[in-house]
């Protein structure tokens, strides 16, 4: 696992950041909209978004006077690659163990 993948998984370990990420997976949103849907303040949402940006799970762009945040597909792809490899290794280990038992 790369340092990036560890950081991304660690960031999603926080329940509030995971909730923000899941909301953004649905569609892009502004900080205020996220704050209205969560039991945390706008400054707290902003801090969580900063962490998600640092680990490349979220992108933002200006739209008028506000910033919209969305899931970064590159970060999601990197996490998926890691999880796919983990799953492949687990299945290979299971197959090897099953063959030993026969």
């Amino acid at each position: 696992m790369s340092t990036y993948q560890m950081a991304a998984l660690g960031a999603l370990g926080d329940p509030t950041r995971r909730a923000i990420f899941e909301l953004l997976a649905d569609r892009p949103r502004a900080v205020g909209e996220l704050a209205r849907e969560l039991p945390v303040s706008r400054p707290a949402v902003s801090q969580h978004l900063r962490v998600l940006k640092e680990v490349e799970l979220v992108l933002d762009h200006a739209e008028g006077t506000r910033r919209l945040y969305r899931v970064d597909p590159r970060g999601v792809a990197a996490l998926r690659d890691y999880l796919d490899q983990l799953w492949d290794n687990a299945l290979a280990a299971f197959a090897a163990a099953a063959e030993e038992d026969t």
Side-chain angles (χ1 to χ4, degrees), residues 18-52:
R18 192 169 50 255
I20 290 169
F21 182 79
E22 289 171 0
L23 287 169
L24 294 175
D26 183 43
R27 65 181 168 80
R29 298 169 195 256
V31 171
E33 185 180 352
L34 290 165
R36 283 190 298 275
E37 297 187 41
L38 298 165
V40 295
S41 67
R42 287 174 68 131
V45 169
S46 293
Q47 289 176 343
H48 286 296
L49 286 166
R50 182 179 44 80
V51 171
L52 292 169

Side-chain angles (χ1 to χ4, degrees), residues 63-96:
E63 188 170 290
T65 59
R66 62 187 192 152
R67 299 202 71 71
L68 287 181
Y69 293 84
R70 65 181 175 91
V71 168
D72 185 340
R74 295 169 301 166
V76 173
L79 277 182
R80 182 174 180 150
D81 289 345
Y82 166 71
L83 294 172
D84 285 346
Q85 182 62 47
L86 186 68
W87 184 245
D88 290 345
N89 291 344
L91 289 176
F94 178 77

